[in-house]
Amino acid sequence: MKHIGKVWQDGRYDILMKNNQQFLNTWEYIKENPVKAKYINKEENYPFLWEVF
């Protein structure tokens, strides 16, 4: 990558997923990020998204 500067924002932290519902909620949040940022209009159109479950 030809990126200069920070890639990750300060204050990030790991979260232990306590159950399947928390995992699914977090996954939905992640999938919606490109939509919220207006990179795409539907999460299915994001070329870097793939699901195995």
Side-chain angles (χ1 to χ4, degrees), residues 31-46:
K31 290 190 322 185
E32 281 294 317
N33 280 338
V35 177
K36 290 176 185 174
K38 299 186 190 297
Y39 292 130
I40 55 172
N41 57 354
K42 290 172 53 177
E43 64 190 38
E44 297 86 22
N45 296 336
Y46 193 59

Side-chain angles (χ1 to χ4, degrees), residues 3-10:
H3 180 78
I4 298 173
K6 289 184 178 184
V7 175
W8 301 104
Q9 87 183 68
D10 291 335

